[in-house]
Amino acid sequence: MNKERSAEEQYIKRRKRKAIMQSFVYYLCHIFPVKRNKIVMWTFEGSGGYACSPRYIAEEILKRNKLKETNYQIYWLVQDLNREFPPDIKMIKDSLLMRAYHLSTAKFWIANTRTFYGTIKRKETIYFQTWHGSVSLKPIGKCRGSKFSKIAYLISKYDSDLIDYALSGSRWCTEMWPEGLVYDGKIKQTGSPRCDILFNGVPKMHIKLRKEYGIPYDAKICLYAPTFRGGSQATARSINAGSISLDFCELIKALEIKFGGTWYVFLRLHPQLTTYLENFPFFQDNERLIDVSQRPDMSEIMAATDAIITDYSTVIFEGFLTGQPGFIFASDLEEYILDRGTLMFDLDEIPFPSALKTEDLIKNILSFDEQQYKYNSKKFKEKVGIIEDGYASKRVVDLIIKNT
């Protein structure tokens, strides 16, 4: 135990030294002026693409720019310059020098994850934290209790002290953010911009994704999206083979028996875990199992699907806003709780049928009661105070304009 504590303390010291050295680059960049119409965005520490809430905020800004209502310039920090972005968004290689220069000269930062430890924000800059999760089974931040490591707390607190506005899509998130995000600043209940498409874009996405993946337009799609394991700064994020060892043939058969039609399954790993894909022979020679993990935006996928299966991810609490059935498959529940901490809800508190074994998941699908599900979903939305309505992006851009 003492060895583990000593190793953690040494790791923290190294991170602090690195942060101090990196901060000097930011201070050097303070010789450049802040541009009032400059906005810098990023997703998943630069490893993400044009996705999540920053994407939908950007789309609203570009729409207003086109109408000459605004004149913002959007820059996006990315690790991979080959990612696809609209031509009016300037991609910036996420190196220390480029990051420090562009963040130091931007009036606004908009992100769905933390900044890098050691980042320095100027007093003129306003930082919007959209976060990449919402209502969820998965505990985050101080909600993890003793599972929340010292280095994770240190980095979370450092970033949260920089935030000017944290966005929320529910009363539950507003009440949870102080502990979950280790944040004591302003929280705006604007709704989650990434959820707008779930109200405004379902018919379009149904057609678009089926066309892109060569699926018949009348086919139905089940999204399977297991979350990552670990992720406490000092530990590696991972996913175990058991968590995607479903018998997809049996799953598809059950979906077709219960709901009718021809079904396909979209597999979507967490954006920061797509490099693990090659280690999993999960396709089982099934042409109706399609990997969509490299697709940057989860909201587009959820807007196109007809059912969702996950373990502890927030996606099911957003995807169900379209009315599609949701199912929990938590085959490693005890192990996950030992690693991550106590879940934010008991499984019987949520509207989604839950299973720890594949055969129970199949039974839950076959016995699914649509009317009961609608009733339970309505009561749950009321309980947690979900305010999503498809207009979150507009509210956020109005707030940006107000602070310009």
Side-chain angles (χ1 to χ4, degrees), residues 195-203 205-206 299-308 315-326 370 373-374 377 381 388:
C195 289
D196 288 351
I197 195 173
L198 302 178
F199 293 86
N200 308 324
V202 169
M205 289 302 111
H206 265 250
S299 297
E300 275 195 343
I301 299 171
M302 290 190 292
T305 56
D306 303 279
I308 294 179
V315 299
I316 200 166
F317 294 92
E318 296 180 358
F320 90 133
L321 296 174
T322 68
Q324 62 186 301
E370 183 177 0
Y373 178 71
K374 286 182 178 180
S377 295
K381 290 173 188 176
E388 308 294 356

Side-chain angles (χ1 to χ4, degrees), residues 125-140:
T125 299
I126 298 173
Y127 178 13
F128 288 85
Q129 178 53 258
T130 69
W131 201 241
H132 56 282
S134 55
V135 180
S136 180
L137 287 172
K138 178 173 63 180
I140 63 171

Side-chain angles (χ1 to χ4, degrees), residues 327-328 353-355 359-369:
F327 301 91
I328 297 294
S354 303
E359 53 266 34
D360 292 328
L361 171 63
I362 300 301
K363 289 178 183 178
N364 285 342
I365 292 171
L366 294 175
S367 63
F368 180 76
D369 185 329

Side-chain angles (χ1 to χ4, degrees), residues 10-182:
Q10 290 300 315
Y11 178 70
I12 290 173
K13 288 180 181 179
R14 290 197 301 271
R15 291 293 297 268
K16 285 184 174 181
R17 286 196 296 267
K18 183 178 179 181
I20 291 171
M21 290 187 290
Q22 290 190 350
S23 69
F24 291 142
V25 182
Y26 285 87
Y27 286 119
L28 288 173
C29 289
H30 288 187
I31 64 172
F32 302 103
V34 171
K35 299 178 181 179
R36 292 181 61 83
N37 68 334
K38 182 174 181 177
I39 301 174
V40 174
M41 300 185 176
W42 68 89
T43 55
F44 301 106
E45 292 104 16
S47 65
Y50 190 48
C52 204
S53 287
R55 168 182 179 155
Y56 294 95
I57 296 170
E59 288 183 353
E60 179 65 20
I61 290 171
L62 294 178
K63 185 190 302 181
R64 298 196 193 190
N65 280 356
K66 190 174 182 180
L67 295 172
K68 307 298 183 183
E69 296 177 4
T70 55
N71 186 34
Y72 292 109
Q73 294 181 336
I74 302 175
Y75 296 77
W76 204 293
L77 295 171
V78 293
Q79 295 174 8
D80 181 3
L81 292 174
N82 291 316
R83 287 188 175 275
E84 293 185 6
F85 278 81
D88 292 333
I89 295 179
K90 299 180 180 179
M91 285 188 288
I92 304 299
K93 179 65 176 177
D94 189 26
S95 63
L96 172 59
L97 182 58
M98 295 299 284
R99 187 191 320 132
Y101 170 75
H102 285 285
L103 290 179
S104 296
T105 55
K107 174 65 177 178
F108 300 100
W109 300 352
I110 301 175
N112 77 340
T113 47
R114 301 295 186 182
T115 53
F116 281 83
Y117 189 34
T119 298
I120 303 297
K121 183 170 77 74
R122 298 170 80 165
K123 63 180 181 179
E124 304 100 315
T125 299
I126 298 173
Y127 178 13
F128 288 85
Q129 178 53 258
T130 69
W131 201 241
H132 56 282
S134 55
V135 180
S136 180
L137 287 172
K138 178 173 63 180
I140 63 171
K142 292 166 71 175
C143 297
R144 297 183 62 190
S146 62
K147 306 299 181 181
F148 192 45
S149 68
K150 290 182 180 179
I151 185 61
Y153 172 81
L154 185 68
I155 290 174
S156 297
K157 184 68 168 64
Y158 183 92
D159 176 76
S160 288
D161 286 346
L162 303 178
I163 297 170
D164 294 284
Y165 297 105
L167 306 187
S168 167
S170 68
R171 183 181 64 253
W172 186 88
C173 285
T174 299
E175 294 172 353
M176 189 271 284
W177 278 171
E179 290 289 298
L181 296 185
V182 194

Side-chain angles (χ1 to χ4, degrees), residues 176-403:
M176 189 271 284
W177 278 171
E179 290 289 298
L181 296 185
V182 194
Y183 176 67
D184 59 4
K186 296 177 182 178
I187 299 173
K188 293 290 184 178
Q189 284 194 183
T190 57
S192 307
R194 65 178 170 273
C195 289
D196 288 351
I197 195 173
L198 302 178
F199 293 86
N200 308 324
V202 169
K204 180 180 178 180
M205 289 302 111
H206 265 250
I207 295 172
K208 178 182 177 181
L209 267 69
R210 282 160 177 76
K211 182 177 180 180
E212 287 187 21
Y213 292 102
I215 297 173
Y217 289 136
D218 60 350
K220 297 180 181 180
I221 300 170
C222 175
L223 170 63
Y224 178 46
T227 192
F228 65 77
R229 307 297 188 269
S232 299
Q233 297 295 334
T235 62
R237 287 173 173 171
S238 62
I239 192 164
N240 59 48
S243 65
I244 52 175
S245 62
L246 276 174
D247 186 328
F248 290 103
C249 291
E250 288 300 312
L251 172 61
I252 291 171
K253 184 189 299 183
L255 290 167
E256 292 181 344
I257 291 172
K258 180 61 185 181
F259 301 107
T262 301
W263 280 78
Y264 289 75
V265 175
F266 277 2
L267 174 65
R268 177 58 150 66
L269 295 187
H270 190 278
Q272 293 168 318
L273 289 174
T274 53
T275 54
Y276 289 82
L277 277 173
E278 61 187 26
N279 298 322
F280 297 103
F282 48 74
F283 288 105
Q284 302 179 1
D285 297 321
N286 193 330
E287 62 181 13
R288 286 202 261 159
L289 175 61
I290 300 171
D291 167 37
V292 296
S293 298
Q294 299 295 338
R295 192 176 192 91
D297 189 49
M298 172 65 93
S299 297
E300 275 195 343
I301 299 171
M302 290 190 292
T305 56
D306 303 279
I308 294 179
I309 300 172
T310 188
D311 40 24
Y312 319 103
S313 174
T314 192
V315 299
I316 200 166
F317 294 92
E318 296 180 358
F320 90 133
L321 296 174
T322 68
Q324 62 186 301
F327 301 91
I328 297 294
F329 176 55
S331 59
D332 63 343
L333 180 61
E334 291 185 7
E335 180 184 343
Y336 185 82
I337 291 174
L338 284 173
D339 172 66
R340 186 81 194 180
T342 304
L343 300 184
M344 300 301 289
F345 297 95
D346 291 335
L347 293 180
D348 59 5
E349 289 184 271
I350 59 178
F352 317 110
S354 303
L356 307 185
K357 299 178 181 180
T358 302
E359 53 266 34
D360 292 328
L361 171 63
I362 300 301
K363 289 178 183 178
N364 285 342
I365 292 171
L366 294 175
S367 63
F368 180 76
D369 185 329
E370 183 177 0
Q371 293 306 312
Q372 187 65 48
Y373 178 71
K374 286 182 178 180
Y375 175 79
N376 291 344
S377 295
K378 181 176 182 293
K379 298 299 289 185
F380 184 79
K381 290 173 188 176
E382 293 171 353
K383 176 182 177 180
V384 300
I386 291 175
I387 62 166
E388 308 294 356
D389 62 359
Y391 296 99
S393 299
K394 292 182 179 180
R395 295 189 190 97
V396 176
V397 176
D398 287 344
L399 188 58
I400 292 170
I401 293 171
K402 183 179 178 181
N403 281 275

